[in-house]
Amino acid sequence: MKLSIRSIDNFLMAALFLQMLFLPKIWMGLKIIFLAFILLFYINKIKIRIKINVGTKLILIYAFLNLISIIIGCMRGYATTAIRLGTIDVLWPLVYAVIAFGGLEEYQLKWIYKAIIIVTFILVVSDLVLIIASFTSNEGIRSFLSLFNKNTLVAEWTRGYMEIRTDHENYYAFLPPFMMAVFFQEDDKKIKKIGLNSAFTKVTVILSMLMAVFMGLGSVWLANAVGLLLCMKKFHIFKKKWVLIMLSLVVPVMIIVLAKSYLEEGFVYFIWQDVLSRLNMTSDLKNINGATRTAQVHAMLEAWLDNPLIGQGRGVPVTYFRSGAYVTRADNEIVYLITLYQKGLIGFVLFFILVGYAIYILNKRKDIKWFTEPFMVGLICYLIANIFNPYLTNFSNLWILFLPFMIRSKNLN
């Protein structure tokens, strides 16, 4: 069989994509090797003719301003942290800009769509196996699953719910909302045409939503709740008769179960308390989480007001009171406030212009809405979860933000 540049390029892209999903925090060296070959192919494709569209220009401006922020951080004496963040803020955006020159065609998007659904099923099943292994004390299974994770695996019953920690836990802020949108689109013909079984897809939707609840992460719960609301609005699900019938049967029972769980300080109670603590709106965890988060917010806003336009510089820490002592840290919670005080109003606004244009691209491509609608729901939910967790500080996660820019342009410029 004769190999072509196109087939090799597709293989490398597919292999890299699967590595990012299955192995988000390990084998980074192997990812770099795959990425290097991909860039060589893309540079070869674009050297004849380079067309810089609006999206690519935004990425390049974003990378340039981030570089300035890194230089400012270095000049202020925080070179180690500032340069470490250089790959996230400068190098990886430039990499995605190069790939965006070539653009992803529809057949590649079909593969990604199919891969996301299948990978969702595999990740959910692996986490269910982890739960079983934890309850049965099966160290053989845990050891096998540990081969695919950098951090220690956790699956334990705590505070009235199952708490699970894996390297891919952050994807539950993207995958279940994506799957919900796939389900509510009700495009079974497209699913079958892509090569997926409709029943398999529906089972994956249900399992992914259940696992999102089991994760025990307030940010993931919040993201999935927003995902459900977005799907309700976008797909007008209350106009569907089967939905109304199901709700009339299920909702009364669910209200009773949820109320009982909350009043008895069970699973629902702790979900609600954890989400509220993220927003600093609960007294139960105020001394532990709320006060610390408030101190962080005040410190970051004060730092921003000292230099509101260009910020303090990448890697510059703030000092605040935490656990009985003053600490000085650059890696704090409330991620977008870190962007605000380190990169200033210019960097903060530019980031959300980037996000806004990504959503614009997805919304504009009505011809491939079977892909763009679920991806848009997933992207928005992931960005909401990123408020409280630095998910977008890992190369393996950045594709969620930059993939819309890689979709081949069609009447977007």
Side-chain angles (χ1 to χ4, degrees):
M1 184 177 70
K2 185 178 179 181
L3 290 176
S4 64
I5 295 295
R6 178 176 176 178
S7 63
I8 296 173
D9 180 35
N10 287 338
F11 168 78
L12 292 173
M13 288 281 286
L16 178 63
F17 184 69
L18 293 176
Q19 286 181 59
M20 291 190 295
L21 286 170
F22 285 120
L23 310 165
K25 295 184 180 180
I26 61 176
W27 294 11
M28 298 307 294
L30 184 61
K31 292 187 183 74
I32 297 299
I33 293 172
F34 274 82
L35 186 61
F37 280 107
I38 290 169
L39 290 177
L40 286 175
F41 285 122
Y42 267 84
I43 290 172
N44 182 63
K45 282 197 292 186
I46 67 175
K47 67 182 180 181
I48 300 174
R49 179 185 176 188
I50 296 179
K51 183 180 180 181
I52 303 180
N53 58 28
V54 175
T56 307
K57 289 176 183 177
L58 285 174
I59 296 176
L60 294 175
I61 295 170
Y62 176 73
F64 176 73
L65 290 180
N66 284 340
L67 178 61
I68 293 176
S69 182
I70 289 170
I71 292 172
I72 293 172
C74 291
M75 292 175 63
R76 298 198 59 188
Y78 299 98
T80 302
T81 306
I83 293 174
R84 177 173 57 82
L85 295 169
T87 54
I88 300 161
D89 288 348
V90 179
L91 181 59
W92 299 142
L94 290 177
V95 166
Y96 283 110
V98 171
I99 299 176
F101 283 131
L104 295 174
E105 298 179 17
E106 186 170 348
Y107 79 92
Q108 292 171 307
L109 295 178
K110 288 180 180 178
W111 186 92
I112 293 173
Y113 180 90
K114 184 177 180 179
I116 288 175
I117 294 174
I118 294 174
V119 167
T120 301
F121 179 79
I122 295 173
L123 291 180
V124 169
V125 170
S126 71
D127 289 337
L128 288 172
V129 171
L130 174 62
I131 293 173
I132 294 170
S134 297
F135 278 113
T136 59
S137 300
N138 191 319
E139 291 303 318
I141 294 177
R142 288 181 64 88
S143 297
F144 174 74
L145 293 175
S146 295
L147 296 175
F148 305 96
N149 291 267
K150 178 181 179 180
N151 298 319
T152 303
L153 296 174
V154 175
E156 60 186 14
W157 190 262
T158 176
R159 296 191 303 173
Y161 60 84
M162 175 60 66
E163 182 177 1
I164 304 171
R165 294 292 179 269
T166 64
D167 282 2
H168 58 261
E169 65 186 34
N170 68 93
Y171 282 132
Y172 283 105
F174 172 82
L175 296 175
F178 179 95
M179 295 303 304
M180 278 188 266
V182 169
F183 175 75
F184 287 119
Q185 267 187 333
E186 295 185 327
D187 197 350
D188 290 346
K189 289 183 179 179
K190 191 66 182 182
I191 290 173
K192 290 178 182 178
K193 192 174 181 180
I194 289 174
L196 287 170
N197 181 277
S198 179
F200 169 78
T201 303
K202 288 179 173 63
V203 168
T204 303
V205 173
I206 295 170
L207 290 177
S208 68
M209 292 176 67
L210 289 173
M211 192 55 64
V213 175
F214 288 159
M215 291 309 295
L217 285 169
S219 57
V220 170
W221 291 329
L222 181 60
N224 279 269
V226 171
L228 184 57
L229 293 174
L230 287 174
C231 288
M232 287 179 179
K233 182 179 184 301
K234 191 165 189 63
F235 302 112
H236 309 290
I237 66 175
F238 289 123
K239 294 182 179 180
K240 305 177 190 295
K241 288 184 179 180
W242 68 267
V243 173
L244 295 175
I245 294 171
M246 184 182 71
L247 289 176
S248 66
L249 296 173
V250 174
V251 169
V253 177
M254 288 298 295
I255 290 175
I256 294 171
V257 172
L258 296 176
K260 186 174 184 296
S261 177
Y262 183 84
L263 292 173
E264 293 179 358
E265 296 190 2
F267 171 67
V268 174
Y269 175 81
F270 284 106
I271 288 181
W272 184 245
Q273 290 298 318
D274 192 85
V275 171
L276 288 183
S277 73
R278 299 278 178 176
L279 303 173
N280 193 26
M281 294 171 61
T282 176
S283 59
D284 286 11
L285 299 175
K286 183 175 181 180
N287 291 332
I288 300 172
N289 292 329
T292 297
R293 196 167 290 112
T294 299
Q296 288 180 4
V297 169
H298 287 168
M300 288 188 283
L301 288 177
E302 287 178 3
W304 169 62
L305 289 172
D306 285 342
N307 204 340
L309 284 181
I310 62 173
Q312 298 291 339
R314 204 65 169 113
V316 175
V318 291
T319 300
Y320 56 91
F321 194 75
R322 178 173 188 158
S323 302
Y326 282 97
V327 296
T328 300
R329 296 179 55 173
D331 53 337
N332 301 299
E333 297 173 300
I334 319 296
V335 173
Y336 299 130
L337 280 184
I338 296 176
T339 301
L340 181 63
Y341 92 81
Q342 290 187 357
K343 301 180 184 180
L345 190 60
I346 295 175
F348 180 83
V349 170
L350 181 59
F351 173 80
F352 283 100
I353 289 176
L354 201 70
V355 169
Y357 197 77
I359 294 172
Y360 167 76
I361 293 172
L362 295 171
N363 193 53
K364 190 76 172 176
R365 291 298 301 270
K366 302 294 185 184
D367 56 312
I368 52 172
K369 65 179 182 179
W370 52 268
F371 178 84
T372 56
E373 287 183 342
F375 198 91
M376 181 164 55
V377 172
L379 171 61
I380 292 172
C381 293
Y382 197 75
L383 291 170
I384 287 172
N386 189 63
I387 295 173
F388 307 108
N389 300 278
Y391 291 152
L392 291 176
T393 57
N394 187 327
F395 166 69
S396 295
N397 305 336
L398 281 171
W399 67 271
I400 295 176
L401 174 61
F402 288 108
L403 186 139
F405 296 93
M406 296 160 60
I407 297 174
R408 185 174 290 279
S409 298
K410 186 175 182 180
N411 301 323
L412 289 174
N413 296 324

